[in-house]
Amino acid sequence: MKEKIVLVTGANKGIGFGIAKHLGLSGWQVVVGARDEKRAEEAIGQLRSAGVDVLGWVSIELRDLGSIEQAARVIGEKYAGLALLVNNAGIPGDMSVDSLHTELSDIRETLDVNFVGTFALTKALLPLLTKNGGRIVNVTVPSEISPYWHPLAYVASKAAQNAMMGVMAIEFEQSNTPVEVFSVHPGPTTTDLNGNMALPGFHDIETVGQKTAELINDGQNHQGEFIELYPIVKED
C-alpha cells in the first residue's frame, strides 16, 4: 500500500495547522514544517490530541537556502515515502502601506521567502516526489489584482508563485513527470498573517483546513489548476 506522508510548511499555526489537522484526520501521516522548535512541538501536541498521526517535524527557514537543503536531506532520510508537499508557509510583507510607500527591502524579503524559498524547497523535494508519484499544492492568492485588497509585496510574491505552478504543470505534462501541481486560494481567512482580521465573508482555519483537505482527497487530477475555495468578493 502506498504511503500517505505529507509535509505541510508553516503547519504550526493558521491555515497550515488547519490543513495538517484535516489531512491527518483523513488518513495522511503528517510532517510539520516550521521555523521554531517550541511552536512546532506545541502544534504536534495539539494535532496528536486531535487524533492526527504526526511523524515529526522538520526545521525549515524559507529565507535560508542552507536550511532548505538540510530540510530536504532530513526528509529524504526519515520520510522517504513523502507523497504530498503543501507549500503554505509565507510572510505577509508590510500590508499597511500602498505601493509608493513600499520599501524595496520589504519587496526583496517577501519575494525571498514566498517565492524563492518556496521554489527552492519544491525543487529540492522534487526527486522524492517524482519517485513517489506525488503532488505539490501551493496555498496562494490570485494573480489578478483585487481593488479591495492588494498589498504589493505579498501579491507580487504570490503571483510569482502562481507562475511557478503554471510553468511546472506544463513541463510535468510535456516530460511525462509523474507529479501533479496545483494552487489553492483559501479566500479571506482569519489568521495571524492579517492580524486576525474577521470581517464579513471571512472564514476560520477549521473551515478552510477541512475544505482544502477534501479538495486534495477528491481523487481528481488538478494539474495546473488555480482553485478558489472562497473567492474575494465585495461586501455590500
Side-chain angles (χ1 to χ4, degrees):
M1 182 178 176
K2 184 178 178 180
E3 288 186 280
K4 293 180 64 174
I5 298 177
V6 55
L7 169 66
V8 182
T9 64
N12 57 290
K13 65 178 182 178
I15 290 173
F17 180 87
I19 292 172
K21 176 182 176 181
H22 286 281
L23 284 174
L25 292 176
S26 69
W28 286 87
Q29 294 178 295
V30 174
V31 178
V32 170
R35 294 185 295 175
D36 182 272
E37 181 176 7
K38 182 181 178 182
R39 291 179 180 175
E41 294 293 351
E42 288 174 354
I44 288 172
Q46 294 170 4
L47 289 168
R48 286 177 173 160
S49 294
V52 174
D53 182 3
V54 184
L55 299 180
W57 81 285
V58 177
S59 177
I60 303 175
E61 172 53 78
L62 288 177
R63 74 189 75 211
D64 182 348
L65 296 181
S67 169
I68 292 169
E69 291 171 3
Q70 174 63 18
R73 283 194 293 268
V74 170
I75 292 164
E77 293 168 3
K78 297 178 65 175
Y79 312 114
L82 183 74
L84 175 62
L85 167 62
V86 178
N87 285 316
N88 163 78
I91 60 174
D94 187 351
M95 293 188 170
S96 68
V97 295
D98 62 18
S99 60
L100 296 182
H101 295 91
T102 299
E103 298 288 343
L104 284 175
S105 58
D106 187 47
I107 295 285
R108 288 195 180 100
E109 182 183 26
T110 308
L111 281 167
D112 274 348
V113 173
N114 295 357
F115 173 56
V116 177
T118 296
F119 171 71
L121 180 64
T122 302
K123 182 179 179 181
L125 294 177
L126 193 54
L128 194 59
L129 291 165
T130 302
K131 178 183 175 182
N132 296 328
R135 287 179 288 167
I136 302 160
V137 178
N138 297 330
V139 179
T140 183
V141 300
S143 297
E144 294 79 11
I145 308 304
S146 165
Y148 315 115
W149 183 84
H150 42 256
L152 179 60
Y154 186 75
V155 172
S157 71
K158 290 297 187 175
Q161 197 180 98
N162 293 341
M164 176 190 84
M165 183 278 294
V167 170
M168 284 185 169
I170 290 172
E171 292 175 344
F172 291 162
E173 290 189 331
Q174 291 176 339
S175 62
N176 293 315
T177 300
V179 177
E180 178 186 342
V181 58
F182 64 96
S183 295
V184 176
H185 173 220
T189 309
T190 302
T191 69
D192 287 352
L193 185 139
N194 54 32
N196 292 306
M197 188 181 295
L199 299 174
F202 275 60
H203 296 85
D204 58 32
I205 61 173
E206 281 289 314
T207 302
V208 168
Q210 182 175 0
K211 193 158 184 177
T212 303
E214 289 173 354
L215 174 65
I216 289 170
N217 292 324
D218 69 6
Q220 298 181 35
N221 187 314
H222 296 291
Q223 185 76 281
E225 293 182 9
F226 181 93
I227 300 168
E228 293 193 89
L229 301 184
Y230 297 104
I232 297 173
V233 295
K234 183 177 180 180
E235 296 294 330
D236 294 327

